Amino acid sequence: MTGRSLEEYTAPVEDYLKVIYEIERASGAAATTDIASRLAIAPASVSGMVRRLADQGLVDHERYHGVRLTDEGRRVALRMLRRHRVIEAYLTRALGYEWDRVHDEAERLEHAASDELIDRMEAAIGAPGVDPHGAPIPTREGQIDERELVSLAELEPRQMGRVVRVSDDDASRLRYLGELGLVPGARVTMLDRAPFGGPIRLRVRKAECAIGPQLAGSVWVEVAE
Amino acid sequence: MTGRSLEEYTAPVEDYLKVIYEIERASGAAATTDIASRLAIAPASVSGMVRRLADQGLVDHERYHGVRLTDEGRRVALRMLRRHRVIEAYLTRALGYEWDRVHDEAERLEHAASDELIDRMEAAIGAPGVDPHGAPIPTREGQIDERELVSLAELEPRQMGRVVRVSDDDASRLRYLGELGLVPGARVTMLDRAPFGGPIRLRVRKAECAIGPQLAGSVWVEVAE
DNA sequence: AAGCTAAGTTAGGTTGGCCTAAATCATATG
DNA sequence: CATATGATTTAGGCCAACCTAACTTAGCTT
Ligand SMILES: [Mn+2]
Ligand SMILES: [Mn+2]
Ligand SMILES: [Mn+2]
Ligand SMILES: [Mn+2]
C-alpha cells in the first residue's frame, strides 16, 4: 500500500548488505576490515553493526572469521543492487546524466525509491539488463547474471577481449577510462606488460595506451578466441 | 561536487521546516501541537526538535508561543517544497503515476535527490510551474506564487470559481475528488449549503454533487465574477 | 483573584549508528 | 613453541530523534 512493501531496513543496513554481498562474491567471507574500508567506517563500528545484522538474521557471523549473508540477507542485497543499477541506468538514459555522475546519486536514491518506482524506471528505458558501467541488473525476483570475468590486469600478451564492465565508484577514474575508450563494448588487445607492476600496453579501437595495473584491475573483459 | 551542495540537514529537520512553513503561512506562528499532529509525532518530541532547530538558526522560538522560520529556515523550507513538487510533477508526467500515488514517494525522494536531479526533472517535463495537485513550484531561487485562494467551504451560493488546488496528503481523498471531477482547472458553481455543517451542493462540469464541509475545505478555487 | 484546562516543556529512557582507546584473538614466523 | 603483528572485539561515549510520564505555564472562566 505504501509502495515500500513490508520490509523496512535502514539505509546503513542496506549499504552494509550490498558491500558484504560484493566482498563475499570476491573472497568468500566478508572480513570486518574489508567492510570497514569499503564503507569508510571504523572497524569497531562494523563489529557493532555486524551484531545487529546477525540479530536480524541477515548475516551469519563466525567470530573473528567474518560474515556471510543468509538467504534473507542475500535477497535484500540483490534487491539493493537492482535498485542502484536501475537508477543509474535511468539517470543516464532518461535524464542525460554522464556515467561518472550517477553513482553518488544512486547511492542515496536506492534507499528512498519504492519498488514500483524502480519497476517504472526500468520499463521506461526498455529494461536494458545492465547499468551504465556494464554491471548486470538483477531481476525483480533476484536473478542475476553472475558469470566470472577477467580483468585487464590478468590478460596475457596478444590476448583479445571485449570490455564488459568497469568499476563505478570513482568518478575521476570513470572519466579517464572514458577518454581512453575503455567503455563497455570496446574491443581491446593486450600488447605487453612491463614487469614489477609496470604499465600494461593496450590497443583500444586502433589507438594505443598504457595503464597501470591498478587501473587495469578495474576493467573486466570477456576474452575472445 | 557531490551534487548536494554545502547544506546538510537531516530528513526530519527538512520535514519539520516544511510543515512549519505551511502552518506559519496559515496561522502566524507554528504551535507545538500543530507541528506534532502534522508530523504524527508526540508534542514532547517536537519541543526537543524545536530546540535543535533554534540552535541551528532555522527558527525563532518564543517559549510557549510557537516558532517562526528565520530567513535561512524559510530558504530551506522553500527548497523542500520545490523538491517535493517537482518530484510529484515528474512522476505523473514522465512516469505515468496517478496523482494519488505521488505524495508518499516524493516525501522520501525529496531528501535524497540532488539539486541537479531536481533541475533535470523539472526541465524534462517543461517546467510546469505547478504540481499535480495545483500547488505552485518555487523557483530555484525560492520565488513562489503565494496568492491567497478561497476554499469551496467559503463560497457563497451562486458563486462560481475554478479549482486551482487540492490537498494532496490523503490518497483516498484524492481519488474521491478525482471521481467527482474536482481537479485543478474544473469550473464549479456553489449551489447551496445546508446549515449546521451539512452538505454543500455543487455543480461540477454539468454534473451535480454534494460534499461535506471538511472535504470542501481541502479544495481551493479562484472565484470568477 | 483563584482555579481549571489545554498547551508546552522537562525529565528520563530507548535505539541506531557512529567514534576512539583498550583489550583480546589468530596465526605466521623465527 | 613463543611471540609479534594485524585483525577483531569490547568498553565507554556521543548525538539525533523518537517515546511516556510528570510537571509548568498561559489564558480563560467563574
Ligand atoms: Mn546507498
Ligand atoms: Mn554502476
Ligand atoms: Mn519528507
Ligand atoms: Mn502535491
Side-chain angles (χ1 to χ4, degrees):
Chain A
M1 222 7 119
T2 66
R4 292 226 77 186
S5 88
L6 309 172
E7 62 219 321
E8 193 48 48
Y9 297 109
T10 63
V13 164
E14 292 175 337
D15 283 337
Y16 271 83
L17 294 174
K18 254 192 334 179
V19 319
I20 291 168
Y21 176 90
E22 280 163 359
I23 295 170
E24 199 181 334
R25 231 176 58 81
S27 33
T32 302
T33 44
D34 288 359
I35 300 171
S37 79
R38 289 278 213 114
L39 291 171
I41 273 174
S45 306
V46 173
S47 283
M49 178 62 103
V50 158
R51 190 216 315 278
R52 263 171 267 139
L53 295 176
D55 288 348
Q56 292 176 68
L58 294 167
V59 302
D60 290 322
H61 183 210
E62 200 175 344
R63 281 185 76 203
Y64 293 99
H65 293 282
V67 295
R68 286 173 194 278
L69 295 174
T70 61
D71 287 349
E72 168 67 1
R74 182 167 297 103
R75 219 207 74 244
V76 177
L78 284 166
R79 177 161 164 271
M80 295 314 296
L81 287 182
R82 168 172 168 78
R83 298 164 150 264
H84 187 99
R85 292 171 185 173
V86 166
I87 291 165
E88 285 190 344
Y90 186 84
L91 292 177
T92 54
R93 295 179 180 231
L95 284 169
Y97 270 74
E98 295 301 319
W99 79 335
D100 60 315
R101 309 289 303 277
V102 294
H103 181 76
D104 291 348
E105 193 87 51
E107 200 56 61
R108 296 187 309 271
L109 291 172
E110 63 189 358
H111 311 289
S114 68
D115 287 338
E116 178 180 356
L117 177 55
I118 298 299
D119 292 348
R120 283 186 191 261
M121 285 178 162
E122 185 185 37
I125 55 174
V130 294
D131 84 359
H133 316 103
I137 297 178
T139 65
R140 221 163 302 148
E141 291 73 34
Q143 296 300 313
I144 186 173
D145 172 9
E146 294 264 26
R147 92 193 116 135
E148 290 287 326
L149 298 170
V150 175
S151 90
L152 279 185
E154 301 160 70
L155 236 46
E156 296 302 320
R158 299 181 148 270
Q159 264 194 311
M160 290 168 42
R162 218 179 58 252
V163 175
V164 172
R165 184 173 169 187
V166 302
S167 293
D168 71 347
D169 50 11
D170 181 333
S172 60
R173 181 169 57 198
L174 281 175
R175 280 192 296 276
Y176 187 56
L177 289 175
E179 282 170 31
L180 297 180
L182 284 171
V183 300
R187 304 200 148 277
V188 191
T189 309
M190 152 74 147
L191 299 175
D192 55 56
R193 173 196 347 234
F196 303 107
I200 293 159
R201 287 201 318 127
L202 305 167
R203 188 190 334 277
V204 185
R205 284 177 181 157
K206 300 182 176 166
E208 281 188 24
C209 65
I211 64 180
Q214 207 204 326
L215 187 59
S218 62
V219 178
W220 286 278
V221 301
E222 207 168 50
V223 177
E225 299 318 306
Chain B
M1 223 10 120
T2 67
R4 292 226 77 186
S5 87
L6 309 171
E7 62 219 321
E8 194 47 50
Y9 297 109
T10 63
V13 163
E14 292 176 337
D15 282 337
Y16 271 82
L17 294 175
K18 254 192 334 180
V19 320
I20 291 169
Y21 176 90
E22 278 161 0
I23 296 170
E24 199 181 333
R25 231 174 61 80
S27 33
T32 301
T33 44
D34 288 359
I35 300 171
S37 80
R38 290 280 211 109
L39 291 171
I41 271 173
S45 306
V46 172
S47 283
M49 178 63 102
V50 160
R51 191 215 311 280
R52 281 190 297 270
L53 296 176
D55 288 348
Q56 292 177 67
L58 295 167
V59 301
D60 290 323
H61 182 211
E62 200 173 346
R63 281 185 77 206
Y64 292 100
H65 294 281
V67 296
R68 287 173 193 278
L69 295 175
T70 61
D71 287 349
E72 169 67 2
R74 181 166 299 102
R75 219 207 74 244
V76 177
L78 284 166
R79 177 161 165 272
M80 295 314 296
L81 287 182
R82 169 174 167 77
R83 298 164 150 266
H84 187 98
R85 292 171 185 172
V86 166
I87 291 166
E88 285 189 346
Y90 186 84
L91 293 176
T92 55
R93 295 179 179 232
L95 284 170
Y97 271 74
E98 296 301 318
W99 78 335
D100 61 312
R101 309 287 305 275
V102 295
H103 181 78
D104 290 348
E105 193 86 51
E107 200 57 60
R108 296 188 309 271
L109 292 172
E110 63 189 359
H111 310 289
S114 68
D115 287 338
E116 178 179 357
L117 177 56
I118 297 298
D119 292 347
R120 282 187 191 260
M121 285 178 161
E122 185 184 38
I125 56 175
V130 294
D131 84 359
H133 316 103
I137 297 179
T139 64
R140 223 162 300 151
E141 291 73 34
Q143 296 299 314
I144 186 172
D145 173 8
E146 293 266 28
R147 91 193 119 137
E148 291 288 326
L149 298 170
V150 175
S151 91
L152 278 185
E154 302 160 68
L155 238 44
E156 296 303 320
R158 299 179 149 269
Q159 265 193 310
M160 291 166 41
R162 219 182 58 251
V163 175
V164 172
R165 185 173 169 185
V166 302
S167 293
D168 72 346
D169 50 10
D170 181 333
S172 59
R173 181 169 59 197
L174 282 175
R175 280 192 295 275
Y176 187 56
L177 289 176
E179 283 170 31
L180 298 179
L182 284 171
V183 300
R187 304 200 147 277
V188 190
T189 309
M190 152 73 147
L191 299 175
D192 56 55
R193 171 197 348 234
F196 303 107
I200 294 160
R201 287 202 316 125
L202 304 167
R203 187 190 334 277
V204 185
R205 285 179 180 156
K206 301 185 176 165
E208 280 187 26
C209 65
I211 64 179
Q214 207 205 328
L215 186 59
S218 63
V219 178
W220 286 280
V221 302
E222 207 168 47
V223 177
E225 299 317 306

